Every structure is written in structure tokens, then in C-alpha cells.
Amino acid sequence: MADKPSVLFVCVHNAGRSQMAAGWLTHLAGDAVEVRSAGSAPADTINPVAVDAMREVGIDITGQTPKILTVDAVQASDVVITMGCDDTCPIFPGKRYEDWDLTDPAGQGIETVRHVRDEIRARIEKLLVELDVAS
């Protein structure tokens, strides 16, 4: 792994879970980690309930847009964290892969999305310890 680890978060629409994860990692690690997110079938916009839930904890993800998952993004990342994209995520030797089984916030109310947001934060904090990056 490089001096500055790179993490890619992938979910189907790149509109909820992966955007919240990228927001948390950027917020907690600053520029100590290169952060990417993408989706296997990106939505047109980020889930507004996910935006609201993140805003409640002082993280603004409104400037992000759903992006298509590319082979280049996977190859450029040290850690690839999938969130329900199943077999559509490419696998390359030498990469660290994790699958985070999280509720999809699409169509969910704010209470459910808050729970997902908080679960993502806990996983991000654990990831930072594993990467030896101070938050």
C-alpha cells in the first residue's frame, strides 16, 4: 500500500451508502486517505435523505454526483469496499476487498438512513485503525 492509502466505496447506485461512506472517510481522515466512490448502475442524483442525514452530523455531500464504476478506479485503489453490488464489481489480485452488508437507504425514511449513517461511521473508524490512519 502506498504512503497514502486509497479507498473505493462501491454500491449499485452510488447515491446513498457509498456516498455517505466517502463523506465519513473524507471527514475523519482529511487528506490522509484518497477517497473514491462509484456505482455499477449510478443514479442521476444522490439520495436527498442521505444528504439530510449527513448534514445532521455536519458533513455536506451535496457537491458529489453518482459516478460509474470503472476498472481504472478499482485498479487505482488499495481497498475496495462493496455495499451490495454483487458480481458487478471487478476483482483484481493484490487488492483488499470487503463487503459491508448495509441496508440500502433508497426509499427509506430518515430514521433508517440515520441508522445506516451511524453504522457506516463505526465501520469507517475501524477501517482507519486498520489502515493506521489517525482520525
Side-chain angles (χ1 to χ4, degrees):
M1 197 173 309
D3 291 338
K4 181 176 181 176
S6 176
V7 178
L8 170 63
F9 296 102
V10 183
C11 66
V12 175
H13 300 297
N14 190 220
R17 295 166 289 187
S18 57
Q19 292 288 353
M20 289 192 291
W24 272 123
L25 185 54
T26 300
H27 177 76
L28 294 172
D31 63 358
V33 177
E34 187 175 350
V35 181
R36 296 181 177 90
S37 71
S40 53
D44 293 328
T45 60
I46 295 181
N47 180 335
V49 183
V51 170
D52 291 344
M54 293 300 284
R55 186 178 292 126
E56 289 177 350
V57 294
I59 299 172
D60 183 6
I61 60 171
T62 58
Q64 302 302 314
T65 56
K67 295 167 280 307
I68 187 74
L69 176 63
T70 65
V71 170
D72 290 342
V74 175
Q75 287 179 318
S77 300
D78 299 307
V79 180
V80 179
I81 298 174
T82 59
M83 303 170 177
C85 68
D86 298 321
D87 295 333
T88 61
C89 295
I91 304 293
F92 293 97
K95 303 289 176 194
R96 173 179 166 184
Y97 290 90
E98 291 185 25
D99 185 53
W100 291 359
D101 185 18
L102 299 162
T103 300
D104 186 349
Q108 302 291 331
I110 190 70
E111 288 299 324
T112 299
V113 177
R114 284 178 183 138
H115 175 73
V116 174
R117 174 200 67 201
D118 295 345
E119 187 174 345
I120 290 171
R121 179 184 179 140
R123 290 175 187 236
I124 293 293
E125 289 172 340
K126 181 177 182 262
L127 177 66
L128 286 170
V129 170
E130 293 168 354
L131 294 175
D132 197 27
V133 174
S135 61

